[in-house]
Amino acid sequence: MPVHAPAPYPAARLRRLRRTPALRDLVAENRLSAADLIWPVFIREGARVEEPIASMPGVVRLSVDRLLSKATEAVELGITTICLFPYTDPALRTETCDEAWNPDNITNRAIRALKAELPGLSVMTDIALDPYNANGHDGFVVDGEIVNDETVAALVKMALAQAESGADILGPSDMMDGRIGAMRSALEAAGQRDVAILSYAAKFASGFYGPFRDAVGASGRLVGDKKTYQINPANRDEALRCVARDLDEGADMVMIKPGMPYLDICSTVKDRFGVPTFAYQVSGEYAMLQAAAQNGWLDGEAVMLESLLAFKRAGCDGILTYFAPEAARCLRD
Ligand code: PBG
């Protein structure tokens, strides 16, 4: 992008265009809107349940009935997409993870309920075994190792069950090798040609996922860490290779995760590949901002909107954020 060198002062006074709100608005290079936001929601069994998550102030686990009413509000606020994450009943968490592709698991029932009630809302899912796994990992564990190819076969079954339930966007978050290609060809073979894949292509082994693991009930169960499958935070080239590979295998959109500490990756991915690019402002980023706001150390609304706008400036087309309804409300008012 050519940047014209400014004329010397005083011919150029860059403050001229910052003088009034109208001038600032006129020359704003990026804008945030509710349509840019994907709202991640935690769901669980029951009726009339709104269960707070201690490490994510303001976020709750919802039963499907409550999900429907909150999703209706989200649609009214202009949010286009909701992403579902299940808190699975502990009795259904096993080493074989069969609940993950059960057509009647909580996620698949929630997809069907949402599509019946709010057909215009896009429903995105998560594909990984951790909410169903006895040991909290995204893949099967055999003799302490997270096995790749056996896991991919299971993820394909999950993808098919979610597509059959009516999901619009599948979100593989597991970081196994070869999963996008395997899912894409299984979906084609099953006649599911139009379901989109938003690959968690550049997902780093991050400390910022802690509160999410509390929310899905995986924290206490996780044995070890996820460093043999998620990307080392030191690595930029590797992240770009993951993006290229997932696009080649049939991903429609890609995601970088976490968000704020990885804006360099977002910017490079958008510049280099020119594809729909998303960032996930993850649970730990949300928790940090909320905690500081609750203590009066930061202006919560200002940092929420500033952090989301930063993703747009970095080149993202949209952001997964737990702030989605609150941000949409602020943008409307
Ligand atoms: C796991 C998954 C994680 C998140 C989304 N899917 C956590 C992990 O990899 O342990 C994190 C989201 C967040 O922190 O908000 N499949």
Side-chain angles (χ1 to χ4, degrees):
M1 208 207 316
V3 175
H4 192 277
Y9 167 87
R13 291 179 185 267
L14 293 173
R15 288 183 56 190
R16 283 182 200 125
L17 298 181
R18 298 180 200 140
R19 190 170 53 87
T20 68
L23 287 166
R24 291 194 293 272
D25 260 356
L26 181 70
V27 299
E29 297 172 37
N30 291 284
R31 265 175 240 281
L32 183 68
S33 87
D36 299 319
L37 308 176
I38 297 179
W39 183 27
V41 182
F42 300 105
I43 52 175
R44 57 159 302 149
E45 292 296 343
R48 294 179 300 282
V49 180
E50 292 189 24
E51 185 179 42
I53 298 154
S55 52
M56 299 183 75
V59 175
V60 291
R61 300 186 192 104
L62 298 169
S63 52
V64 174
D65 56 325
R66 283 295 150 90
L67 169 70
L68 292 176
S69 53
K70 299 280 178 190
T72 305
E73 288 171 30
V75 169
E76 282 159 9
L77 288 166
I79 291 170
T80 64
T81 309
I82 255 184
C83 181
L84 302 174
F85 290 98
Y87 173 88
T88 308
D89 188 334
L92 296 171
R93 297 177 197 239
T94 62
E95 290 193 0
T96 50
C97 305
D98 304 274
E99 182 65 6
W101 51 90
N102 176 355
D104 291 318
N105 71 20
I106 178 83
T107 299
N108 292 325
R109 278 184 280 128
I111 297 169
R112 291 194 290 271
L114 281 170
K115 293 309 294 183
E117 185 110 348
L118 298 164
L121 175 71
S122 289
V123 178
M124 175 174 167
T125 62
D126 181 66
I127 300 184
L129 299 182
D130 54 320
Y132 311 95
N133 206 339
N135 51 54
H137 276 289
D138 291 16
F140 291 127
V141 184
V142 178
D143 298 333
E145 191 192 324
I146 289 77
V147 293
N148 193 88
D149 300 6
E150 296 81 348
T151 299
V152 169
L155 300 172
V156 166
K157 289 194 265 181
M158 268 183 98
L160 289 171
Q162 293 172 353
E164 273 151 29
S165 300
D168 299 283
I169 304 171
L170 306 180
S173 68
D174 54 285
M175 291 301 283
M176 297 299 121
D177 286 320
R179 79 239 202 257
I180 303 297
M183 278 174 210
R184 181 52 81 204
S185 58
L187 290 165
E188 284 291 321
Q192 297 286 355
R193 298 186 183 92
D194 294 326
V195 64
I197 298 178
L198 169 44
S199 171
Y200 287 61
K203 177 169 177 178
F204 292 87
S206 173
F208 287 100
Y209 305 146
F212 172 96
R213 293 178 189 167
D214 296 339
V216 298
S219 317
R221 291 183 172 77
L222 186 63
V223 184
D225 57 46
K226 301 192 176 184
K227 292 181 183 170
T228 69
Y229 45 107
Q230 299 178 347
I231 305 171
N232 181 345
N235 294 356
R236 176 173 169 281
D237 289 343
E238 186 184 348
L240 298 175
R241 286 172 69 201
C242 287
V243 169
R245 186 263 318 260
D246 285 4
L247 290 169
D248 284 348
E249 290 185 14
D252 302 283
M253 308 179 262
V254 293
M255 190 201 299
I256 292 92
K257 177 184 178 191
M260 223 151 65
Y262 296 86
L263 289 180
D264 57 325
I265 310 290
C266 297
S267 162
T268 309
V269 165
K270 188 62 179 181
D271 286 350
R272 189 163 304 179
F273 299 98
V275 297
T277 302
F278 291 78
Y280 199 143
Q281 182 179 53
V282 299
S283 57
E285 300 175 63
Y286 173 87
M288 283 194 303
L289 297 179
Q290 285 291 70
Q294 284 187 343
N295 276 292
W297 298 336
L298 288 174
D299 174 340
E301 188 176 311
V303 294
M304 169 181 73
L305 295 173
E306 182 181 334
S307 64
L308 294 172
L309 184 61
F311 291 109
K312 297 290 306 270
R313 193 192 59 243
C316 291
D317 297 283
I319 308 110
L320 285 93
T321 176
Y322 302 98
F323 286 120
E326 202 187 327
R329 216 163 277 127
C330 288
L331 293 167
R332 181 194 59 190
D333 303 338

